[in-house]
Amino acid sequence: MSDVRTPATKAPARLVILISGRGSNMLAIAEACRNGKLSASIALVVSNRPDAAGLESARALGLPTAVVDHSAFATREAFDTALAREVEAARPDWVLLAGFMRILGPTFLDHWPGRILNIHPSLLPKYRGLDTHARAIAAGDREAGASVHIVTAELDAGEVVGQFKVAIEPGDTPASLAARVLAGEHQLYTETLQRLVEADGSGNRANIR
Ligand code: GRF
């Protein structure tokens, strides 16, 4: 009798994506899940703004969405608690910030240590915070780019796990540079995540819950 064993199937890693606006990184990740470049599936897209354009795009793709409106909460902790409850219910292996414009405190972060990522449009540790492209141009930098980093309580300060660079061209404006960087962000976020998913087998963990 032959001993045929089926290899354990590896379930895709479960992603929860937090957005506040346009959601183009979220859409790039959704496309990578669909075309097989990323061994993951999006369990939930959450916005802190009910009018975020990315929510509509996510719904159009049939992705589950939720809104946790920060303006409805009296304190940061109350918002963090409500957001954590919503995210927890979706049982994520990874929580991805993609243009999410709220600072998260330990009340949220401590649920998924080392498993919350953000994409930031600068070559961290340079230019934490806002207006990164204008600041890079004003400083006379010759290159810009984006970084994927682990989210910690300090803004844009966690370990960088992926980065790409583009040249700053003469005549670049913050808008022209942002457009070039954004195209690279989409690739960087999906490739970095695929590397992390492969490295820790997070798909398997989703399987046994
Ligand atoms: C991106 O540039 C990202 O790096 C920054 O916010 C922007 C979000 O864009 N954190 P989108 O909402 O993903 O289109």
Side-chain angles (χ1 to χ4, degrees):
M1 218 165 81
S2 64
D3 180 16
V4 180
R5 290 173 199 216
T6 332
T9 42
K10 189 167 172 174
R14 293 175 65 86
L15 310 177
V16 170
I17 306 183
L18 307 189
I19 64 168
S20 298
R22 172 180 60 186
S24 72
N25 278 286
M26 176 273 297
L27 289 174
I29 291 165
E31 171 58 15
C33 291
R34 195 198 60 78
N35 69 21
K37 287 191 176 153
L38 185 54
S39 320
S41 67
I42 298 178
L44 184 65
V45 175
V46 189
S47 173
N48 66 304
R49 298 181 53 109
D51 60 350
L55 270 181
E56 210 35 66
S57 312
R59 288 187 196 117
L61 291 179
L63 298 172
T65 61
V67 174
V68 182
D69 184 348
H70 66 275
S71 68
F73 297 88
T75 63
R76 195 181 290 283
E77 286 70 30
F79 170 69
D80 278 11
T81 300
L83 183 64
R85 194 170 300 140
E86 194 73 53
V87 172
E88 185 92 74
R91 297 180 294 112
D93 294 301
W94 296 93
V95 179
L96 309 179
L97 277 50
F100 183 70
M101 300 302 285
R102 303 295 299 175
I103 294 174
L104 295 166
T107 306
F108 183 89
L109 300 176
D110 290 353
H111 282 78
W112 302 277
R115 307 191 74 82
I116 307 174
L117 305 178
N118 181 41
I119 187 152
H120 181 74
S122 81
L123 296 173
L124 289 173
K126 276 187 150 183
Y127 310 127
R128 295 172 183 168
L130 298 175
D131 300 324
T132 54
H133 302 306
R135 287 154 71 199
I137 291 169
D141 290 359
R142 302 179 67 161
E143 53 187 17
S147 309
V148 174
H149 66 93
I150 293 172
V151 177
T152 60
E154 197 184 339
L155 183 68
D156 301 327
E159 182 192 350
V160 172
V161 291
Q163 200 164 62
F164 86 96
K165 295 179 180 176
V166 292
I168 298 181
E169 306 290 352
D172 252 335
T173 62
S176 67
L177 183 55
R180 228 163 45 249
V181 170
L182 187 66
E185 286 185 34
H186 297 161
Q187 196 177 342
L188 174 72
Y189 217 170
T190 53
E191 288 179 359
T192 303
L193 189 57
Q194 177 61 15
R195 186 161 42 75
L196 294 173
V197 165
E198 276 173 11
D200 81 348
S202 50
N204 282 333
R205 243 201 313 283
N207 223 357
I208 57 171
R209 283 210 182 107

